[in-house]
Amino acid sequence: MSDIINLLPENIANQIAAGEVVQRPASVVKELLENSIDAGADKIILSIKDGGINFIQVKDNGAGMSETDARMCWERHATSKIKNAEDLYKINTLGFRGEALASIASVSQVEMKTKKNDQALGTEIKIEAGIVNYHEPTNSSVGTIITVKNLFFNIPARKNFLKSQNIETRHIFDEFYRIALPNPDIEFVFYNNEKEIINLRKTDIKNRIIDILGKNSKGELLQVKEETEIIKITGYVGSPEMAKKHRGEQFFFINGRYIKEPYFNHAIQTAFEGLIPADNFAFYVLFFEINPSKIDVNVHPTKTEVKFEDSKYIYSILLSVVKKAIGKYIISPQLDENSMFKFEASTKPEHELISKFTDFRTKTKFNPFEGDIKQNKKQSFEKLFEGFNTDIIETIKPEREENIKPQTVEKQLFEKEFRYIFDNFFQLKGGYIIASREDELFIINQQSAHERILYERFLKSDSLNRIPIQILLFPRIIEFKHADFELINSLLDEIRQIGFDISPFGNNNFVVNGVPTINDKTNPQLTLEGLIENYRINEQKPDISKKENLALSMSKNTSIKMYDILSNIEIEELLTDLFNCEQPNYLPNGKPVFIKFSNGNILDLLNKKF
Ligand code: ADP
Ligand code: MG
């Protein structure tokens, strides 16, 4: 048998390595920005076009490269950052594997100009699919400009795998923020399709966080600071009101490197336990400084996972410093800082806990146990529904207009709408409406009912059929973080159809002139923020259209809640609207809106019990 093993040619080996390092345009952005930081730049300009798929450029004023290094840096395992195995234990640069540039060049068309500050002339290089085809002296300023064009042009399968330009742009924003956040002493400018969209001046860390994540409408940034022999932890956590339903605002950086670390995240969630709803995520931007010999950043090619030698110890320090920061914020200074954490939410009646807590509250109106209460209610509702066979649930439709005997117009409307459906109804404290007609009994979840109604209404709205707008007496200007601003901009038509009179108003701001006439208790800012938050969560679902996503997110954010007390008129309206829905029985996610017992079911049930 002849031998069959070959060594792979260099360019194929690089392409394979690129599979790990370069997953999408955002990975290129990450590697280039990190290199600029490692080169000591204090001003970095990122430009992208078309979601970075066709064009990414990073320009820095860092150290630049000599003519030879300008050629060398494109080779695999070419790095200036480590020289021997020992150096692996004292890495204080973001890069060190010497793989990024080689990988990027193997799957794109790259141009680079670079110059060191002691050189008269710089160097220009052009590479296509890993092959250098131009290498000449050039005039350029000190620092490096790298342009990456047509990513994956030579690997169509990878290119097809990329998502829409909008989604790729969003990934780039994520990487950009992760790099700009821990480096407030570097100025960053970001151009998207030739438009300057972000300009981050040099500042301190707190202001960099605010510049990137926006001034939150509620809550405060709480400082965290602790230094032990093993670790220094600095940064900020958001006060409980800043918690969100998605993970977007959680950042750990270890020696300046963004990492995902579920174990430490758990420590923080634990510190917030009982203070935020169980399904919410706390806000935090935290920096760990650790002796590089105590961690191993080599476990993941994109270096977002890190191994720690003392992770249990770090967990407990983290838990205690975060608790301390929250404790200072919520409880007045004379109170024992730790006592709040001794309350056992499950063993005391809710009202007792709340009053105990409110007595001590100082700064905010935040009700620390609100989330739990809602959660408990939700759970008990689900429990209630668990016991019953879903067969019991049937669609009921209101009788149609034609069945109504001719009467006065007023009476006709009234009857058509409701009365003949139910003989009796009342609201049960805790968010359920009990209604009966003849031998049937309905238990209706009021929040779900309203969500169903609004969902159908929003879904049916279009440019001709807009949700009515209530004009605000005073227009509101609302600032969003940049990514949210962009998202709203891309949904502007649809958002107007569902009843917002809203227009862009300069730097990351929108002016809101009118809001949907649905629920006059809603606050435009919280509604829009909640809308965007839910929208992002729903985006994870496959095949969800913009319209459906907006209808889902909007109905969640504007519906009445379980703890809202309703007047009889409001209950009537709710029941009418619900049973005029095309599908009153279920929420879009399949959860029942009500359960119905007929006389037969009730007797069955009673026979089992008595
Ligand atoms: P690594 O960052 O792991 O060393 P890269 O492939 O990203 O590997 O870069 C290779 C080398 O090229 C770096 O070690 C550095 O010496 C040089 N280099 C890359 N980008 C820049 C830049 N923007 N400015 C100066 N030198 C750079
Ligand atoms: Mg690098």
Side-chain angles (χ1 to χ4, degrees):
M1 270 254 276
S2 57
D3 300 332
I4 51 171
I5 298 178
N6 302 311
L7 268 183
L8 288 175
E10 187 69 12
N11 59 340
I12 297 187
N14 281 337
Q15 271 188 20
I16 294 171
E20 285 189 319
V21 181
V22 186
Q23 283 140 9
R24 55 184 356 136
S27 346
V28 174
V29 168
K30 170 181 189 277
E31 295 296 338
L32 296 183
L33 292 176
E34 287 189 349
N35 280 345
S36 296
I37 291 170
D38 285 345
D42 74 347
K43 176 165 184 176
I44 302 177
I45 303 172
L46 166 67
S47 313
I48 61 161
K49 289 182 194 161
D50 314 323
I53 300 166
N54 298 323
F55 183 94
I56 297 168
Q57 183 179 72
V58 172
K59 176 175 185 199
D60 68 51
N61 63 355
M65 283 177 261
S66 70
E67 198 194 330
T68 319
D69 285 351
R71 173 67 190 79
M72 261 301 276
C73 68
W74 302 101
E75 295 296 327
R76 195 138 67 105
H77 307 310
T79 179
S80 56
K81 298 168 193 173
I82 55 172
K83 294 205 165 54
N84 49 45
E86 226 122 88
D87 291 345
L88 271 175
Y89 300 97
K90 40 187 179 199
I91 288 163
N92 49 24
T93 50
L94 294 166
F96 61 89
R97 297 165 67 111
E99 275 181 332
L101 292 186
S103 300
I104 294 167
S106 73
V107 292
S108 65
Q109 296 159 336
V110 181
E111 294 169 20
M112 176 173 82
K113 282 186 176 187
T114 184
K115 193 177 94 154
K116 288 166 78 83
N117 68 359
D118 57 358
Q119 288 177 310
L121 277 180
T123 308
E124 182 169 8
I125 285 234
K126 294 183 186 173
I127 307 175
E128 192 165 314
I131 295 164
V132 179
N133 48 32
Y134 185 91
H135 184 184
E136 298 289 336
T138 186
N139 270 320
S140 65
S141 47
V142 174
T144 304
I145 310 182
I146 296 182
T147 311
V148 176
K149 292 184 184 161
N150 299 321
L151 187 63
F152 300 137
F153 79 102
N154 55 342
I155 316 184
R158 294 291 301 277
K159 188 159 184 161
N160 292 339
F161 186 71
L162 293 177
K163 297 271 169 20
S164 71
Q165 294 187 1
N166 271 346
I167 293 183
E168 293 303 337
T169 306
R170 230 171 289 149
H171 282 290
I172 292 176
F173 275 118
D174 286 345
E175 289 297 351
F176 176 80
Y177 294 142
R178 289 169 187 172
I179 288 182
L181 260 176
N183 291 292
D185 47 354
I186 300 178
E187 178 183 346
F188 287 90
V189 187
F190 188 162
Y191 288 87
N192 187 10
N193 294 324
E194 296 181 337
K195 220 173 72 195
E196 181 187 304
I197 50 168
I198 301 180
N199 189 332
L200 298 167
R201 305 251 164 239
K202 291 188 187 189
T203 179
D204 57 19
I205 188 61
K206 185 171 184 186
N207 282 303
R208 179 57 61 90
I209 295 174
I210 293 171
D211 287 344
I212 290 182
L213 298 172
K215 259 209 164 59
N216 209 291
S217 50
K218 18 174 196 165
E220 268 179 50
L221 289 177
L222 314 175
Q223 191 171 22
V224 171
K225 211 170 164 187
E226 187 73 61
E227 186 163 5
T228 75
E229 275 179 11
I230 292 184
I231 189 169
K232 182 174 169 191
I233 303 178
T234 57
Y236 291 85
V237 295
S239 60
E241 307 88 312
M242 285 175 72
K244 292 257 170 92
K245 285 204 191 75
H246 67 95
R247 275 182 198 281
E249 295 171 340
Q250 301 190 322
F251 298 87
F252 281 128
F253 297 93
I254 296 193
N255 298 348
R257 188 192 305 279
Y258 170 82
I259 57 143
K260 293 180 186 143
E261 186 50 76
Y263 182 58
F264 296 155
N265 176 63
H266 185 266
I268 297 189
Q269 287 296 130
T270 308
F272 275 93
E273 220 165 67
L275 296 168
I276 62 176
D279 57 350
N280 275 22
F281 298 96
F283 174 108
Y284 58 83
V285 180
L286 291 172
F287 305 92
F288 297 168
E289 283 166 57
I290 305 180
N291 184 331
S293 66
K294 301 273 182 193
I295 51 174
D296 179 3
V297 285
N298 211 8
V299 282
H300 195 271
T302 60
K303 308 184 221 83
T304 50
E305 281 168 30
V306 174
K307 256 196 230 146
F308 290 84
E309 217 176 271
D310 303 292
S311 51
K312 276 202 180 121
Y313 170 81
I314 298 173
Y315 181 102
S316 65
I317 298 270
L318 192 59
L319 178 63
S320 96
V321 289
V322 174
K323 274 186 174 186
K324 199 157 89 184
I326 318 170
K328 271 191 194 151
Y329 170 70
I330 296 185
I331 297 182
S332 60
Q334 64 266 36
L335 204 81
D336 168 12
E337 272 180 358
N338 289 321
S339 63
M340 61 185 277
F341 301 106
K342 292 183 188 138
F343 292 173
E344 280 295 330
S346 52
T347 57
K348 295 220 166 68
E350 291 162 359
H351 63 272
E352 208 181 300
L353 275 175
I354 292 167
S355 62
K356 188 162 183 184
F357 210 93
T358 38
D359 290 343
F360 295 130
R361 266 190 295 137
T362 49
K363 281 190 184 166
T364 71
K365 284 204 181 117
F366 174 67
N367 169 359
F369 293 100
E370 188 178 77
D372 276 358
I373 295 166
K374 274 191 235 165
Q375 190 64 20
N376 289 345
K377 279 187 179 154
K378 195 168 146 245
Q379 278 161 2
S380 45
F381 168 64
E382 278 160 7
K383 278 236 166 59
L384 174 70
F385 278 49
E386 238 170 47
F388 296 105
N389 187 336
T390 41
D391 290 346
I392 302 174
I393 300 158
E394 321 156 357
T395 307
I396 68 156
K397 281 268 171 195
E399 290 177 40
R400 292 285 156 209
E401 225 165 324
E402 49 277 19
N403 301 342
I404 300 165
K405 293 187 195 88
Q407 288 168 359
T408 63
V409 178
E410 223 183 320
K411 182 85 173 152
Q412 222 183 62
L413 273 177
F414 184 64
E415 289 224 348
K416 177 194 98 180
E417 283 195 327
F418 174 68
R419 269 289 173 188
Y420 64 93
I421 301 181
F422 292 110
D423 307 323
N424 275 305
F425 62 83
F426 61 91
Q427 187 187 25
L428 194 67
K429 197 170 161 246
Y432 301 98
I433 292 163
I434 311 291
S436 67
R437 80 166 178 185
E438 298 179 358
D439 68 343
E440 292 172 332
L441 176 75
F442 293 77
I443 303 180
I444 299 154
N445 176 313
Q446 67 184 47
Q447 180 170 341
S448 304
H450 200 215
E451 264 180 56
R452 179 79 229 175
I453 295 163
L454 294 177
Y455 172 73
E456 292 197 7
R457 217 178 272 174
F458 290 129
L459 207 57
K460 282 184 200 143
S461 68
D462 56 35
S463 49
L464 296 173
N465 221 337
R466 293 169 186 274
I467 301 287
I469 294 179
Q470 182 183 345
I471 302 295
L472 296 175
L473 208 51
F474 303 102
R476 292 273 298 266
I477 292 171
I478 304 179
E479 186 186 355
F480 289 89
K481 67 177 181 189
H482 185 78
D484 289 350
F485 177 82
E486 289 278 300
L487 179 59
I488 297 179
N489 241 338
S490 71
L491 294 170
L492 216 50
D493 281 348
E494 289 86 353
I495 288 183
R496 287 176 178 150
Q497 286 163 18
I498 58 175
F500 284 98
D501 179 348
I502 172 175
S503 319
F505 194 72
N507 235 347
N508 295 348
N509 289 305
F510 281 102
V511 58
V512 183
N513 290 307
V515 294
T517 318
I518 311 162
N519 186 347
D520 47 14
K521 285 170 207 122
T522 49
N523 158 334
Q525 171 150 14
L526 294 182
T527 309
L528 278 168
E529 282 175 0
L531 172 69
I532 292 306
E533 196 182 329
N534 276 108
Y535 191 91
R536 287 196 196 287
I537 297 170
N538 292 338
E539 253 182 346
Q540 314 298 329
K541 297 180 187 154
D543 301 331
I544 186 164
S545 70
K546 268 189 190 178
K547 189 71 198 229
E548 191 183 348
N549 190 344
L550 271 178
L552 273 177
S553 313
M554 191 61 188
S555 55
K556 268 232 149 18
N557 273 285
T558 46
S559 68
I560 55 168
K561 300 290 177 279
M562 293 303 276
Y563 45 83
D564 286 343
I565 308 285
L566 304 181
S567 70
N568 276 356
I569 294 176
E570 286 170 328
I571 298 176
E572 279 196 29
E573 221 176 84
L574 189 77
L575 293 176
T576 309
D577 290 347
L578 176 65
F579 291 106
N580 275 314
C581 278
E582 306 214 329
Q583 173 49 285
N585 304 51
Y586 298 98
L587 282 174
N589 66 9
K591 279 200 181 153
V593 171
F594 60 86
I595 41 179
K596 175 184 144 185
F597 307 93
S598 64
N599 204 358
N601 299 134
I602 296 175
L603 287 179
D604 278 354
L605 205 73
L606 295 181
N607 284 337
K608 273 188 206 146
K609 289 279 170 198
F610 295 106

